[in-house]
C-alpha cells in the first residue's frame, strides 16, 4: 500500500532533550516536506527536500533540522526542543512533476 | 497564489449531496483549483483539482464557473466519514517546482445522521 509513515505518533518530552521524528514513504517520491499545524495558524511548512541531499527551508525552519540521505526517508530533528514547538507535525511527499501531495498520519509532540 | 474564501462551517444530511463553495475572484489563467480535506487531526487528503473544466473522480466532482472566479466541490452522497475540514487552494501548477501548499482555514463540514 502506498503510504507515508511517521514515528512516533505521539511524543511527550522535556525542554532541551534532542528528538527525531522519522518519516518514510514507499512511493519513490522525489519531493518530501514537513509541516506543523497549530490552532488558528493552519499548516505551515518547516523544511522541504526536492531529492536526496537537497533540502531547503520553508516558512518556519527555526529550531529544526532535516536530512535526506535516502530517497524514502526524511527525518525531522529537534536538537533542543522548546515548548513553542509543541504542535501537530505532518510529513508529506509527492512526485516532482505532480501536485498531489500525500500526507502522513501526523505526530503530536508536546514539549514540557 | 490567489486568495480563496470559504464559509467557516456547513452541515449536510447523510446521504445527501454536500456542495462546498469556494470564491477565488483573483485567480489567474495558469492557476489551478485544488481541494484537500482533513479528517480530525489526520493528515490532509487530496480530493480533486482542475483548471477550467469540470472534473470528477471517485471521491467528488469539481465545478468551476466559466469566469473561474468560484468553484464548488460536490460530494454526491455524503456519509458520516466525510465529516472533515475541506480546504480550497488555488495555485500555479507545480511542474518541477518547489512550491508548497498553502492551507487556509477551510470549511468544517459536518455530516449529520
Amino acid at each position: 500500500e502506498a503510504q507515508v509513515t511517521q514515528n512516533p505518533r505521539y511524543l511527550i518530552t522535556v525542554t532541551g532533550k534532542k528528538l527525531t521524528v522519522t518519516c518514510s514513504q514507499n512511493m519513490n517520491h522525489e519531493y518530501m516536506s514537513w509541516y506543523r499545524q497549530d490552532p488558528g495558524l493552519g499548516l505551515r511548512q518547516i523544511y522541504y527536500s526536492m531529492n536526496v541531499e537537497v533540502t531547503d527551508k520553508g516558512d518556519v525552519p527555526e529550531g529544526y533540522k532535516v536530512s535526506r540521505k535516502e530517497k524514502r526517508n526524511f527525518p525531522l530533528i529537534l536538537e533542543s526542543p522548546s515548548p513553542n514547538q509543541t504542535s501537530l507535525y505532518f510529513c508529506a511527499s509527492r512526485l516532482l512533476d505532480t501536485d498531489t501531495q500525500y500526507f502522513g498520519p501526523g505526530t503530536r509532540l508536546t514539549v514540557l | 497564489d490567489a486568495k480563496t474564501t470559504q464559509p467557516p462551517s456547513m452541515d449536510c444530511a447523510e446521504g445527501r449531496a454536500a456542495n462546498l463553495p469556494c470564491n477565488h475572484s483573483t485567480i489567474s489563467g495558469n492557476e489551478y483549483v485544488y481541494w484537500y480535506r482533513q479528517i480530525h487531526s489526520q493528515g490532509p487528503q487530496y480530493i480533486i483539482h482542475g483548471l477550467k473544466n469540470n472534473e470528477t473522480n471517485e471521491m467528488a466532482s469539481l465545478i468551476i464557473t466559466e469566469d473561474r472566479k468560484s468553484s464548488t466541490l460536490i460530494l454526491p452522497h455524503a456519509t458520516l466519514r466525510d465529516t472533515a475540514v475541506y480546504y480550497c487552494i488555488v495555485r500555479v501548477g507545480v511542474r518541477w517546482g518547489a512550491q508548497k501548499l498553502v492551507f487556509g482555514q477551510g470549511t468544517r463540514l459536518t455530516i449529520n445522521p
Side-chain angles (χ1 to χ4, degrees):
Chain A
E1 180 191 352
Q3 61 182 345
V4 178
T5 57
Q6 296 178 225
N7 282 292
R9 296 288 315 280
Y10 302 90
L11 179 61
I12 300 174
T13 189
V14 295
T15 299
K17 186 176 180 182
K18 180 179 178 180
L19 66 92
T20 299
V21 184
T22 65
C23 173
S24 183
Q25 49 91 8
N26 62 0
M27 297 169 279
N28 203 36
H29 288 169
E30 299 96 346
Y31 184 100
M32 296 186 75
S33 179
W34 276 102
Y35 293 82
R36 61 178 288 175
Q37 186 172 32
D38 303 288
L41 296 176
L43 278 139
R44 294 177 293 169
Q45 191 182 53
I46 304 170
Y47 268 95
Y48 66 92
S49 168
M50 292 179 70
N51 217 322
V52 175
E53 302 293 1
V54 180
T55 63
D56 210 343
K57 297 177 180 178
D59 297 318
V60 288
E62 295 78 21
Y64 304 95
K65 285 175 59 177
V66 293
S67 70
R68 189 88 183 275
K69 294 184 172 58
E70 304 165 283
K71 198 171 186 179
R72 63 184 293 128
N73 296 323
F74 190 46
L76 180 69
I77 303 155
L78 285 73
E79 295 269 4
S80 183
S82 62
N84 65 10
Q85 293 178 300
T86 292
S87 187
L88 180 57
Y89 291 87
F90 292 102
C91 180
S93 73
R94 64 170 167 85
L95 291 169
L96 261 190
D97 63 346
T98 70
D99 288 316
T100 305
Q101 287 207 39
Y102 295 83
F103 283 80
T107 295
R108 188 169 292 280
L109 172 66
T110 301
V111 183
L112 302 174
Chain B
D1 296 334
K3 179 178 166 57
T4 62
T5 304
Q6 299 177 252
S9 63
M10 292 182 64
D11 286 273
C12 179
E14 188 178 18
R16 305 297 293 268
N19 298 281
L20 292 93
C22 179
N23 286 321
H24 30 79
S25 58
T26 60
I27 193 170
S28 57
N30 61 349
E31 288 185 307
Y32 289 74
V33 180
Y34 291 83
W35 284 85
Y36 279 73
R37 74 179 182 184
Q38 186 174 22
I39 297 169
H40 180 64
S41 293
Q42 295 181 23
Q45 177 189 24
Y46 166 81
I47 301 173
I48 199 167
H49 76 280
L51 183 61
K52 48 186 171 183
N53 298 321
N54 297 338
E55 302 287 344
T56 295
N57 63 20
E58 65 278 3
M59 288 183 69
S61 295
L62 174 61
I63 309 298
I64 303 173
T65 58
E66 195 168 338
D67 63 7
R68 303 211 321 124
K69 293 185 177 183
S70 65
S71 60
T72 301
L73 178 75
I74 302 172
L75 309 178
H77 304 287
T79 71
L80 298 178
R81 286 179 294 181
D82 291 321
T83 293
V85 178
Y86 287 77
Y87 298 97
C88 170
I89 301 165
V90 170
R91 50 171 284 180
V92 176
V94 65
R95 292 300 179 261
W96 305 106
Q99 294 183 52
K100 60 182 182 293
L101 291 174
V102 179
F103 289 80
Q105 297 304 308
T107 296
R108 183 173 298 278
L109 175 67
T110 302
I111 306 301
N112 299 307

